[in-house]
Each structure stands twice: as structure tokens, then as C-alpha cells.
Amino acid sequence: MNVPQWLMPHRITVEPYAGDGAYGPTYGPGNSVAALVVETRKRVRDREGREAVATAQIITAPDLDCPPESRITLPSGRTTRALAVTPYTAPGLPVPQCTEVMCQ
């Protein structure tokens, strides 16, 4: 069971991080996905375990292709990057599955 579509009123654009190139980070093609976006400040750990301050929390479908460092355009037009990506699954339980992305 996935998060119901009516709980995700926003649209974001995710450009998946593809690695570092000669001129800096490279990204895959952007795709627009439905999401619930809350622009708030929270303390999180990035992919290297360092403490960072996230300024946006995104909840979206469980099949999101968004590795850490991906570039995300929020509904406000602000472009940010993914600090931490957490899939929430509960096989066999009647709760919705989703992916949480904490953004810089």
C-alpha cells in the first residue's frame, strides 16, 4: 500500500545524482513527481555521517529514484540537494509505504 495521491498536493522535479565529472556533479534527466513538501528546519546526518541542517522535508512514493546529492526543485522554485533519503516500508502491515527526503 502506497501513500494516497491526495496526500501529495505538490509537484517537485528530481534530477538524480549520477556522480562527479570533470566540471563538478552530474545529474540524470529530471522527472516531475507528486510529493508533500514541508519547508522546515531540522538537524539531520548527511550520507557521510556529518551533521547538517535540512530546510525541507519531502514525502513521496516509495519508488522514487533520488540518491543523496540529487538536485531537487521545490514548488516554490527553490533548487536544493538531497541530504538524506529514507525509504519507509512495512511488508505485511496495513500502513502506507513512502520515501522521505531531507533537503539542504
Side-chain angles (χ1 to χ4, degrees):
M1 171 191 295
N2 293 340
V3 175
Q5 197 67 24
W6 59 271
L7 286 176
M8 299 185 288
H10 304 112
R11 299 295 298 176
I12 61 170
T13 302
V14 178
E15 297 171 72
Y17 177 69
D20 289 326
Y23 301 104
T26 58
Y27 303 96
N31 53 357
S32 178
V33 296
L36 172 63
V37 178
V38 178
E39 295 200 44
T40 184
R41 297 176 63 86
K42 288 187 179 182
R43 201 177 316 204
V44 298
R45 299 250 179 219
D46 65 11
R47 68 183 177 138
E48 295 173 355
R50 293 183 305 230
E51 198 170 88
V53 176
T55 59
Q57 177 184 27
I58 299 170
I59 303 294
T60 189
D63 58 351
L64 179 68
D65 178 23
C66 180
E69 302 298 322
S70 295
R71 187 165 46 197
I72 300 172
T73 304
L74 301 175
S76 64
R78 181 168 69 99
T79 301
T80 184
R81 68 181 177 93
L83 291 172
V85 180
T86 308
Y88 291 102
T89 61
L93 296 176
V95 295
Q97 299 181 32
C98 66
T99 299
E100 176 189 52
V101 181
M102 299 302 287
C103 299
Q104 182 181 37

Coordinates of all heavy atoms in Angstrom, one line a residue:
M1 N 0.9 -1.2 0.0 CA 0.0 0.0 0.0 C 0.9 1.2 0.0 O 1.8 1.4 0.8 CB -0.9 0.0 1.2 CG -1.6 1.2 1.4 SD -2.4 1.5 2.8 CE -3.4 1.1 3.7
N2 N 0.7 2.1 -0.9 CA 1.5 3.4 -1.1 C 0.7 4.6 -0.5 O -0.5 4.5 -0.2 CB 1.8 3.7 -2.5 CG 2.7 2.6 -3.1 OD1 3.4 1.9 -2.4 ND2 2.7 2.6 -4.4
V3 N 1.4 5.6 -0.3 CA 0.8 6.9 0.2 C -0.2 7.3 -0.8 O 0.0 7.3 -2.0 CB 1.9 8.0 0.4 CG1 1.2 9.3 0.8 CG2 2.9 7.6 1.4
P4 N -1.5 7.6 -0.3 CA -2.5 8.1 -1.2 C -2.1 9.3 -2.0 O -1.5 10.2 -1.4 CB -3.7 8.3 -0.3 CG -3.4 7.6 0.9 CD -1.9 7.5 1.1
Q5 N -2.5 9.4 -3.2 CA -2.2 10.5 -4.1 C -2.7 11.9 -3.6 O -2.1 12.9 -3.7 CB -2.7 10.3 -5.5 CG -2.1 11.1 -6.6 CD -0.7 10.8 -6.8 OE1 -0.2 9.8 -6.6 NE2 0.0 11.8 -7.3
W6 N -3.9 11.8 -2.9 CA -4.5 13.1 -2.4 C -3.7 13.7 -1.2 O -3.8 14.8 -0.9 CB -5.9 12.9 -2.0 CG -6.2 11.8 -0.9 CD1 -6.4 10.5 -1.1 CD2 -6.2 12.1 0.5 NE1 -6.5 9.9 0.1 CE2 -6.4 10.8 1.1 CE3 -6.1 13.2 1.3 CZ2 -6.6 10.6 2.5 CZ3 -6.2 13.0 2.7 CH2 -6.4 11.8 3.2
L7 N -2.7 12.9 -0.6 CA -1.9 13.4 0.4 C -0.6 14.1 -0.1 O 0.2 14.6 0.6 CB -1.4 12.3 1.4 CG -2.5 11.8 2.3 CD1 -2.0 10.6 3.2 CD2 -3.0 12.9 3.2
M8 N -0.4 14.1 -1.5 CA 0.7 14.6 -2.1 C 0.3 15.7 -3.1 O 0.3 15.5 -4.3 CB 1.6 13.5 -2.8 CG 2.0 12.5 -1.8 SD 3.1 11.3 -2.5 CE 2.0 10.3 -3.5
P9 N 0.0 16.9 -2.6 CA -0.5 18.0 -3.4 C 0.5 18.8 -4.2 O 0.1 19.6 -5.1 CB -1.2 18.9 -2.4 CG -0.4 18.8 -1.2 CD 0.0 17.3 -1.2
H10 N 1.8 18.6 -3.9 CA 2.8 19.4 -4.6 C 3.5 18.6 -5.7 O 3.4 17.4 -5.8 CB 3.9 19.8 -3.6 CG 3.4 20.5 -2.4 ND1 3.4 20.0 -1.1 CD2 2.8 21.8 -2.3 CE1 2.9 20.9 -0.3 NE2 2.5 22.0 -1.0
R11 N 4.2 19.3 -6.6 CA 5.0 18.7 -7.7 C 6.4 19.2 -7.5 O 6.7 20.4 -7.3 CB 4.5 19.1 -9.1 CG 3.1 18.8 -9.5 CD 2.8 17.3 -9.6 NE 3.6 16.6 -10.6 CZ 3.5 15.3 -10.8 NH1 2.7 14.6 -10.0 NH2 4.2 14.7 -11.7
I12 N 7.3 18.3 -7.5 CA 8.8 18.6 -7.4 C 9.5 18.0 -8.6 O 8.9 17.1 -9.3 CB 9.4 18.1 -6.1 CG1 9.3 16.5 -6.1 CG2 8.8 18.7 -4.9 CD1 10.1 15.9 -4.9
T13 N 10.6 18.5 -9.0 CA 11.4 17.9 -10.0 C 12.7 17.4 -9.4 O 13.4 18.1 -8.7 CB 11.8 19.0 -11.1 OG1 10.6 19.5 -11.6 CG2 12.6 18.4 -12.2
V14 N 13.0 16.1 -9.7 CA 14.2 15.4 -9.1 C 15.1 15.1 -10.3 O 14.7 14.4 -11.2 CB 13.8 14.1 -8.4 CG1 15.0 13.4 -7.9 CG2 12.8 14.4 -7.3
E15 N 16.3 15.6 -10.2 CA 17.4 15.2 -11.1 C 18.4 14.3 -10.3 O 19.1 14.8 -9.5 CB 18.1 16.4 -11.6 CG 17.2 17.4 -12.4 CD 17.9 18.7 -12.7 OE1 18.8 18.7 -13.5 OE2 17.5 19.7 -12.0
P16 N 18.3 13.0 -10.6 CA 19.2 12.0 -9.8 C 20.7 12.3 -9.9 O 21.1 12.5 -11.0 CB 18.8 10.6 -10.3 CG 17.5 10.8 -11.1 CD 17.5 12.3 -11.5
Y17 N 21.3 12.2 -8.8 CA 22.8 12.4 -8.8 C 23.4 11.2 -9.5 O 23.2 10.1 -9.2 CB 23.3 12.5 -7.3 CG 24.8 12.6 -7.2 CD1 25.4 13.8 -7.5 CD2 25.5 11.6 -6.6 CE1 26.8 13.9 -7.4 CE2 26.9 11.7 -6.5 CZ 27.5 12.9 -6.8 OH 28.9 13.0 -6.7
A18 N 24.3 11.5 -10.5 CA 25.0 10.5 -11.3 C 26.5 10.4 -11.0 O 27.1 9.5 -11.6 CB 24.7 10.8 -12.8
G19 N 27.0 11.2 -10.2 CA 28.4 11.2 -9.8 C 29.1 12.5 -10.1 O 28.5 13.5 -10.6
D20 N 30.4 12.5 -9.9 CA 31.2 13.7 -10.2 C 31.9 13.6 -11.5 O 32.5 12.5 -11.8 CB 32.2 13.9 -9.1 CG 31.6 14.4 -7.8 OD1 30.6 15.1 -7.8 OD2 32.1 14.0 -6.7
G21 N 31.8 14.7 -12.3 CA 32.5 14.7 -13.6 C 33.7 15.7 -13.5 O 34.0 16.2 -12.4
A22 N 34.2 16.0 -14.6 CA 35.4 16.9 -14.7 C 35.0 18.3 -14.3 O 35.9 19.0 -13.8 CB 36.0 16.9 -16.1
Y23 N 33.8 18.7 -14.4 CA 33.3 20.0 -14.1 C 32.4 20.1 -12.9 O 31.6 21.0 -12.8 CB 32.7 20.7 -15.3 CG 33.6 20.7 -16.5 CD1 33.5 19.8 -17.6 CD2 34.7 21.6 -16.6 CE1 34.3 19.8 -18.6 CE2 35.5 21.6 -17.6 CZ 35.4 20.7 -18.7 OH 36.2 20.7 -19.7
G24 N 32.4 19.1 -12.1 CA 31.5 19.1 -10.9 C 30.5 17.9 -11.0 O 30.6 17.0 -11.8
P25 N 29.5 18.0 -10.1 CA 28.5 17.0 -10.1 C 27.7 16.8 -11.4 O 27.4 17.8 -12.1 CB 27.5 17.4 -8.9 CG 28.0 18.7 -8.4 CD 29.2 19.1 -9.2
T26 N 27.3 15.6 -11.7 CA 26.5 15.4 -12.9 C 25.2 14.8 -12.4 O 25.1 14.1 -11.4 CB 27.2 14.5 -13.9 OG1 27.5 13.2 -13.3 CG2 28.4 15.1 -14.5
Y27 N 24.1 15.0 -13.2 CA 22.8 14.6 -12.8 C 22.1 13.9 -14.0 O 22.4 14.3 -15.2 CB 21.9 15.8 -12.4 CG 22.5 16.5 -11.2 CD1 23.3 17.7 -11.4 CD2 22.4 16.1 -9.9 CE1 23.9 18.3 -10.4 CE2 23.0 16.8 -8.9 CZ 23.7 17.9 -9.1 OH 24.3 18.5 -8.0
G28 N 21.2 13.0 -13.7 CA 20.4 12.4 -14.7 C 19.2 13.3 -15.1 O 19.1 14.4 -14.6
P29 N 18.4 12.9 -16.1 CA 17.3 13.7 -16.5 C 16.3 13.9 -15.4 O 16.1 13.0 -14.6 CB 16.7 12.9 -17.7 CG 17.2 11.5 -17.5 CD 18.5 11.6 -16.8
G30 N 15.8 15.1 -15.4 CA 14.8 15.5 -14.3 C 13.4 14.8 -14.6 O 13.0 14.7 -15.7
N31 N 12.8 14.4 -13.5 CA 11.4 13.9 -13.6 C 10.5 14.6 -12.6 O 11.0 14.8 -11.5 CB 11.4 12.4 -13.5 CG 12.1 11.9 -12.3 OD1 12.6 12.6 -11.5 ND2 12.1 10.6 -12.1
S32 N 9.3 14.9 -12.9 CA 8.4 15.5 -12.1 C 7.6 14.5 -11.3 O 7.1 13.5 -11.9 CB 7.5 16.4 -12.9 OG 6.5 17.0 -12.1
V33 N 7.5 14.6 -10.0 CA 6.8 13.7 -9.2 C 5.9 14.4 -8.2 O 6.2 15.5 -7.8 CB 7.8 12.7 -8.4 CG1 8.5 11.9 -9.3 CG2 8.7 13.5 -7.5
A34 N 4.8 13.7 -7.8 CA 3.9 14.2 -6.7 C 4.6 14.1 -5.4 O 5.3 13.1 -5.1 CB 2.6 13.5 -6.8
A35 N 4.4 15.0 -4.5 CA 5.0 15.0 -3.2 C 4.3 15.8 -2.2 O 3.5 16.7 -2.6 CB 6.5 15.4 -3.3
L36 N 4.6 15.6 -0.9 CA 4.2 16.5 0.2 C 5.4 17.2 0.6 O 6.4 16.5 1.0 CB 3.5 15.7 1.3 CG 3.2 16.6 2.6 CD1 2.2 17.6 2.3 CD2 2.8 15.7 3.7
V37 N 5.5 18.5 0.5 CA 6.7 19.3 0.8 C 6.4 20.2 2.0 O 5.4 20.9 2.1 CB 7.2 20.2 -0.3 CG1 8.4 21.0 0.0 CG2 7.4 19.3 -1.6
V38 N 7.3 20.1 3.0 CA 7.2 20.9 4.2 C 8.6 21.6 4.3 O 9.6 21.0 4.5 CB 6.9 20.1 5.5 CG1 6.9 21.0 6.7 CG2 5.6 19.4 5.4
E39 N 8.6 22.9 4.2 CA 9.8 23.7 4.3 C 10.0 24.0 5.8 O 9.3 24.9 6.3 CB 9.8 24.9 3.4 CG 9.8 24.5 1.9 CD 10.2 25.6 1.0 OE1 11.3 26.2 1.3 OE2 9.6 25.7 0.0
T40 N 10.8 23.3 6.4 CA 11.1 23.4 7.9 C 12.6 23.2 8.1 O 13.3 22.6 7.3 CB 10.2 22.4 8.7 OG1 10.4 22.7 10.1 CG2 10.5 21.0 8.3
R41 N 13.1 23.5 9.3 CA 14.5 23.3 9.6 C 14.6 22.2 10.6 O 13.9 22.2 11.6 CB 15.1 24.6 10.2 CG 15.0 25.8 9.2 CD 15.5 27.0 9.8 NE 16.9 27.0 10.3 CZ 18.0 27.2 9.5 NH1 17.8 27.6 8.2 NH2 19.2 27.2 9.9
K42 N 15.4 21.2 10.2 CA 15.6 20.0 11.1 C 17.1 19.6 11.0 O 17.7 19.8 10.0 CB 14.8 18.8 10.7 CG 13.4 19.0 11.0 CD 12.6 17.7 10.7 CE 11.2 17.8 11.0 NZ 10.4 16.6 10.7
R43 N 17.6 19.1 12.1 CA 19.0 18.6 12.1 C 19.0 17.2 11.6 O 18.3 16.4 12.2 CB 19.6 18.8 13.5 CG 21.1 18.8 13.6 CD 21.5 18.9 15.0 NE 20.8 20.0 15.6 CZ 21.2 20.7 16.7 NH1 22.4 20.4 17.1 NH2 20.5 21.6 17.2
V44 N 19.9 16.9 10.6 CA 20.0 15.5 10.1 C 21.4 15.1 9.9 O 22.3 16.0 10.0 CB 19.2 15.4 8.8 CG1 17.7 15.6 8.9 CG2 19.8 16.3 7.7
R45 N 21.7 13.9 9.6 CA 23.0 13.4 9.2 C 23.0 13.2 7.7 O 22.1 12.6 7.2 CB 23.4 12.1 9.9 CG 23.3 12.3 11.4 CD 24.7 12.2 11.9 NE 24.7 12.3 13.4 CZ 25.6 13.0 14.0 NH1 26.6 13.6 13.4 NH2 25.5 13.1 15.3
D46 N 24.1 13.7 7.0 CA 24.2 13.5 5.6 C 24.8 12.1 5.3 O 25.0 11.3 6.2 CB 25.0 14.6 4.9 CG 26.5 14.6 5.4 OD1 26.9 13.7 6.0 OD2 27.2 15.6 5.0
R47 N 25.0 11.8 4.0 CA 25.4 10.5 3.7 C 26.8 10.1 4.2 O 27.2 8.9 4.3 CB 25.4 10.3 2.2 CG 26.5 11.1 1.4 CD 26.3 10.9 -0.1 NE 27.3 11.8 -0.7 CZ 28.0 11.4 -1.8 NH1 27.9 10.2 -2.3 NH2 28.9 12.2 -2.3
E48 N 27.6 11.1 4.6 CA 28.9 10.8 5.2 C 28.9 10.8 6.8 O 29.9 10.7 7.4 CB 29.9 11.8 4.7 CG 30.1 11.6 3.2 CD 31.0 12.7 2.6 OE1 31.4 13.7 3.3 OE2 31.3 12.6 1.4
G49 N 27.7 11.0 7.3 CA 27.5 11.0 8.8 C 27.7 12.3 9.5 O 27.7 12.4 10.7
R50 N 28.0 13.4 8.7 CA 28.1 14.7 9.3 C 26.8 15.3 9.6 O 25.8 15.1 8.9 CB 28.9 15.6 8.3 CG 30.3 15.2 8.1 CD 31.0 16.2 7.1 NE 30.2 16.3 5.9 CZ 30.8 16.2 4.7 NH1 32.0 16.0 4.5 NH2 30.0 16.3 3.6
E51 N 26.8 16.1 10.6 CA 25.5 16.8 11.0 C 25.3 18.0 10.0 O 26.2 18.7 9.7 CB 25.6 17.3 12.4 CG 24.3 17.6 13.0 CD 24.4 17.9 14.5 OE1 24.7 19.0 14.9 OE2 24.3 16.9 15.3
A52 N 24.0 18.1 9.6 CA 23.7 19.2 8.7 C 22.3 19.7 9.0 O 21.5 19.0 9.8 CB 23.7 18.7 7.2
V53 N 21.9 20.8 8.5 CA 20.6 21.4 8.8 C 19.8 21.3 7.5 O 20.2 21.8 6.4 CB 20.6 22.9 9.2 CG1 19.2 23.4 9.4 CG2 21.4 23.0 10.5
A54 N 18.7 20.5 7.6 CA 17.8 20.4 6.4 C 16.8 21.5 6.5 O 16.3 21.9 7.5 CB 17.1 19.0 6.5
T55 N 16.4 22.0 5.3 CA 15.5 23.1 5.3 C 14.2 22.7 4.6 O 13.2 23.5 4.5 CB 16.0 24.4 4.5 OG1 16.4 24.0 3.2 CG2 17.3 24.9 5.2
A56 N 14.1 21.5 4.1 CA 12.8 21.0 3.5 C 12.7 19.5 3.7 O 13.7 18.8 3.7 CB 12.8 21.3 2.0
Q57 N 11.5 19.0 4.0 CA 11.2 17.6 4.2 C 10.2 17.2 3.1 O 9.2 17.9 2.9 CB 10.6 17.3 5.5 CG 10.2 15.9 5.7 CD 9.5 15.7 7.1 OE1 8.9 16.6 7.6 NE2 9.6 14.5 7.6
I58 N 10.5 16.2 2.3 CA 9.7 15.7 1.2 C 9.2 14.3 1.5 O 10.0 13.4 1.8 CB 10.4 15.8 -0.1 CG1 10.9 17.2 -0.4 CG2 9.6 15.2 -1.2 CD1 11.8 17.3 -1.6
I59 N 7.9 14.1 1.4 CA 7.3 12.7 1.4 C 6.8 12.4 0.1 O 6.0 13.2 -0.5 CB 6.2 12.6 2.5 CG1 6.7 13.1 3.9 CG2 5.6 11.2 2.5 CD1 7.7 12.2 4.5
T60 N 7.1 11.3 -0.5 CA 6.7 10.9 -1.8 C 6.5 9.4 -2.0 O 6.7 8.7 -1.0 CB 7.6 11.5 -2.9 OG1 7.0 11.3 -4.2 CG2 9.0 10.9 -2.9
A61 N 6.2 8.9 -3.1 CA 6.0 7.5 -3.4 C 7.3 6.7 -3.1 O 8.4 7.2 -3.2 CB 5.6 7.3 -4.8
P62 N 7.1 5.4 -2.7 CA 8.3 4.6 -2.4 C 9.3 4.3 -3.5 O 10.4 3.9 -3.2 CB 7.6 3.3 -1.8 CG 6.3 3.2 -2.4 CD 5.9 4.6 -2.6
D63 N 8.9 4.4 -4.7 CA 9.7 4.1 -5.8 C 10.6 5.3 -6.4 O 11.1 5.2 -7.5 CB 8.9 3.5 -7.0 CG 7.8 4.4 -7.5 OD1 7.6 5.4 -6.8 OD2 7.2 4.1 -8.5
L64 N 10.7 6.3 -5.6 CA 11.5 7.5 -6.0 C 12.9 7.2 -6.3 O 13.6 6.6 -5.4 CB 11.3 8.6 -5.0 CG 12.1 9.9 -5.3 CD1 11.4 10.6 -6.4 CD2 12.1 10.8 -4.0
D65 N 13.5 7.6 -7.4 CA 14.9 7.5 -7.7 C 15.6 8.8 -7.3 O 15.6 9.7 -8.1 CB 15.1 7.2 -9.2 CG 16.5 7.1 -9.6 OD1 17.4 6.8 -8.7 OD2 16.9 7.3 -10.8
C66 N 16.1 8.8 -6.1 CA 16.7 10.1 -5.6 C 17.8 9.7 -4.6 O 17.6 9.7 -3.4 CB 15.6 10.9 -4.9 SG 16.2 12.4 -4.2
P67 N 19.0 9.4 -5.2 CA 20.1 9.2 -4.3 C 20.6 10.5 -3.6 O 20.3 11.6 -4.1 CB 21.2 8.6 -5.2 CG 20.8 9.0 -6.5 CD 19.4 9.2 -6.6
P68 N 21.2 10.4 -2.4 CA 21.7 11.6 -1.8 C 22.6 12.4 -2.8 O 23.2 11.8 -3.7 CB 22.6 11.1 -0.7 CG 22.0 9.7 -0.3 CD 21.5 9.2 -1.6
E69 N 22.5 13.7 -2.7 CA 23.2 14.7 -3.5 C 22.4 15.0 -4.8 O 22.8 15.8 -5.6 CB 24.6 14.3 -3.9 CG 25.5 14.1 -2.7 CD 25.7 15.3 -1.9 OE1 25.8 16.4 -2.5 OE2 25.8 15.2 -0.7
S70 N 21.2 14.4 -5.0 CA 20.4 14.7 -6.1 C 19.9 16.1 -6.1 O 19.8 16.7 -5.0 CB 19.2 13.8 -6.2 OG 19.6 12.4 -6.4
R71 N 19.7 16.7 -7.2 CA 19.2 18.1 -7.3 C 17.7 18.1 -7.4 O 17.1 17.4 -8.2 CB 19.8 18.8 -8.5 CG 19.5 20.3 -8.6 CD 20.4 21.0 -9.6 NE 20.5 20.3 -10.8 CZ 21.4 20.6 -11.7 NH1 22.3 21.5 -11.5 NH2 21.5 20.0 -12.9
I72 N 17.0 18.9 -6.5 CA 15.6 18.9 -6.4 C 15.1 20.3 -6.5 O 15.6 21.2 -5.9 CB 15.1 18.3 -5.1 CG1 15.6 16.9 -5.0 CG2 13.6 18.4 -4.9 CD1 15.3 16.2 -3.6
T73 N 14.1 20.5 -7.4 CA 13.4 21.8 -7.5 C 12.1 21.8 -6.7 O 11.2 20.9 -7.1 CB 13.2 22.2 -8.9 OG1 14.5 22.2 -9.6 CG2 12.6 23.6 -9.0
L74 N 11.9 22.6 -5.7 CA 10.7 22.6 -4.9 C 9.6 23.4 -5.5 O 9.8 24.1 -6.5 CB 11.1 23.2 -3.5 CG 12.2 22.4 -2.7 CD1 12.5 23.2 -1.5 CD2 11.7 21.0 -2.4
P75 N 8.4 23.3 -5.1 CA 7.2 24.0 -5.6 C 7.4 25.5 -5.6 O 6.9 26.2 -6.4 CB 6.0 23.6 -4.8 CG 6.4 22.3 -4.2 CD 7.9 22.3 -4.0
S76 N 8.2 26.0 -4.6 CA 8.5 27.4 -4.5 C 9.5 27.9 -5.6 O 9.7 29.1 -5.7 CB 9.1 27.8 -3.1 OG 10.3 27.1 -3.0
G77 N 10.1 27.0 -6.3 CA 11.1 27.3 -7.4 C 12.5 27.2 -6.8 O 13.4 27.3 -7.6
R78 N 12.7 27.1 -5.6 CA 14.0 26.9 -5.0 C 14.6 25.6 -5.3 O 14.0 24.6 -5.3 CB 13.9 27.0 -3.5 CG 15.2 27.0 -2.7 CD 15.1 27.4 -1.3 NE 14.4 26.4 -0.5 CZ 14.9 25.5 0.3 NH1 16.2 25.4 0.3 NH2 14.1 24.7 1.0
T79 N 15.9 25.6 -5.7 CA 16.6 24.4 -6.1 C 17.5 24.1 -4.9 O 18.2 24.9 -4.3 CB 17.5 24.6 -7.3 OG1 16.6 25.0 -8.4 CG2 18.2 23.4 -7.7
T80 N 17.5 22.8 -4.5 CA 18.2 22.3 -3.3 C 18.8 20.9 -3.7 O 18.6 20.4 -4.8 CB 17.2 22.2 -2.1 OG1 18.0 21.8 -1.0 CG2 16.1 21.3 -2.3
R81 N 19.5 20.3 -2.7 CA 20.0 19.0 -2.9 C 19.6 18.1 -1.8 O 19.3 18.5 -0.7 CB 21.5 19.0 -3.1 CG 22.3 19.4 -1.8 CD 23.8 19.4 -2.1 NE 24.5 19.8 -0.9 CZ 24.9 19.0 0.0 NH1 24.8 17.7 -0.1 NH2 25.6 19.4 1.1
A82 N 19.5 16.8 -2.1 CA 19.1 15.8 -1.1 C 20.2 15.5 -0.1 O 21.3 15.2 -0.6 CB 18.6 14.5 -1.8
L83 N 19.9 15.6 1.1 CA 20.9 15.3 2.2 C 20.8 13.8 2.6 O 21.8 13.1 2.7 CB 20.8 16.2 3.4 CG 21.1 17.6 3.2 CD1 20.7 18.4 4.5 CD2 22.6 17.8 3.0
A84 N 19.6 13.4 2.9 CA 19.3 12.1 3.4 C 18.0 11.5 2.7 O 17.0 12.3 2.6 CB 19.2 12.1 4.9
V85 N 18.0 10.3 2.3 CA 16.9 9.7 1.7 C 16.6 8.4 2.5 O 17.4 7.5 2.6 CB 17.1 9.3 0.2 CG1 15.9 8.7 -0.4 CG2 17.6 10.6 -0.6
T86 N 15.3 8.3 3.0 CA 14.9 7.2 3.8 C 13.7 6.5 3.2 O 12.6 7.2 3.2 CB 14.7 7.6 5.2 OG1 15.8 8.3 5.7 CG2 14.4 6.4 6.1
P87 N 13.7 5.3 2.8 CA 12.5 4.6 2.4 C 11.8 4.0 3.6 O 12.5 3.4 4.5 CB 13.0 3.5 1.4 CG 14.4 3.2 1.9 CD 14.9 4.5 2.5
Y88 N 10.5 4.1 3.7 CA 9.8 3.6 4.8 C 8.9 2.5 4.2 O 8.0 2.8 3.4 CB 8.9 4.6 5.5 CG 9.7 5.6 6.3 CD1 10.0 6.9 5.8 CD2 10.2 5.3 7.5 CE1 10.7 7.8 6.5 CE2 11.0 6.2 8.3 CZ 11.2 7.4 7.7 OH 12.0 8.3 8.5
T89 N 9.2 1.2 4.6 CA 8.3 0.1 4.1 C 7.9 -0.7 5.3 O 8.6 -0.7 6.3 CB 9.1 -0.8 3.1 OG1 10.3 -1.3 3.8 CG2 9.6 0.0 1.9
A90 N 6.8 -1.4 5.2 CA 6.3 -2.2 6.3 C 5.7 -3.4 5.7 O 4.4 -3.5 5.7 CB 5.4 -1.4 7.2
P91 N 6.4 -4.3 5.1 CA 5.8 -5.5 4.5 C 4.9 -6.3 5.4 O 5.2 -6.6 6.5 CB 7.0 -6.4 4.1 CG 8.2 -5.5 4.2 CD 7.9 -4.4 5.2
G92 N 3.7 -6.5 4.9 CA 2.7 -7.2 5.6 C 1.9 -6.4 6.6 O 0.9 -6.9 7.1
L93 N 2.2 -5.2 6.8 CA 1.4 -4.3 7.7 C 0.6 -3.4 6.8 O 1.0 -2.9 5.8 CB 2.3 -3.5 8.6 CG 3.2 -4.3 9.6 CD1 4.1 -3.4 10.3 CD2 2.3 -5.1 10.5
P94 N -0.6 -3.0 7.3 CA -1.5 -2.2 6.6 C -1.2 -0.7 6.7 O -2.1 0.1 7.1 CB -2.9 -2.5 7.2 CG -2.6 -2.9 8.6 CD -1.3 -3.5 8.5
V95 N 0.0 -0.3 6.5 CA 0.4 1.1 6.6 C 1.0 1.6 5.3 O 1.6 0.7 4.6 CB 1.4 1.4 7.7 CG1 0.7 1.1 9.1 CG2 2.6 0.6 7.6
P96 N 0.9 2.8 4.9 CA 1.4 3.2 3.6 C 2.9 3.2 3.5 O 3.6 3.6 4.5 CB 0.9 4.7 3.4 CG 0.1 5.0 4.6 CD 0.1 3.9 5.6
Q97 N 3.5 2.9 2.4 CA 4.9 3.0 2.2 C 5.2 4.3 1.5 O 4.4 4.8 0.7 CB 5.4 1.8 1.2 CG 5.1 0.5 1.8 CD 5.5 -0.6 0.9 OE1 6.5 -0.5 0.2 NE2 4.8 -1.7 0.9
C98 N 6.4 4.9 1.8 CA 6.8 6.1 1.2 C 8.3 6.3 1.3 O 9.0 5.5 1.8 CB 6.1 7.3 2.0 SG 6.7 7.5 3.7
T99 N 8.8 7.4 0.7 CA 10.2 7.8 0.8 C 10.2 9.2 1.4 O 9.5 10.1 0.9 CB 10.8 7.8 -0.6 OG1 10.8 6.4 -1.1 CG2 12.3 8.2 -0.5
E100 N 11.1 9.4 2.3 CA 11.3 10.7 2.9 C 12.7 11.2 2.4 O 13.7 10.5 2.5 CB 11.3 10.6 4.5 CG 11.6 11.9 5.1 CD 11.9 11.8 6.6 OE1 12.7 10.9 7.0 OE2 11.2 12.5 7.4
V101 N 12.7 12.4 2.0 CA 13.9 13.1 1.5 C 14.1 14.4 2.3 O 13.2 15.2 2.4 CB 13.8 13.4 0.0 CG1 15.1 14.1 -0.4 CG2 13.5 12.2 -0.8
M102 N 15.2 14.5 3.0 CA 15.6 15.7 3.7 C 16.5 16.5 2.8 O 17.5 16.0 2.3 CB 16.2 15.4 5.0 CG 15.3 14.6 6.0 SD 13.7 15.4 6.3 CE 14.3 16.7 7.4
C103 N 16.2 17.8 2.6 CA 16.9 18.6 1.6 C 17.7 19.7 2.3 O 17.2 20.2 3.4 CB 16.0 19.2 0.6 SG 15.1 18.0 -0.3
Q104 N 18.8 20.1 1.7 CA 19.6 21.2 2.2 C 18.9 22.5 2.2 O 18.1 22.8 1.3 CB 20.9 21.3 1.4 CG 21.8 22.3 1.9 CD 23.1 22.4 1.1 OE1 23.0 22.2 -0.1 NE2 24.2 22.6 1.7

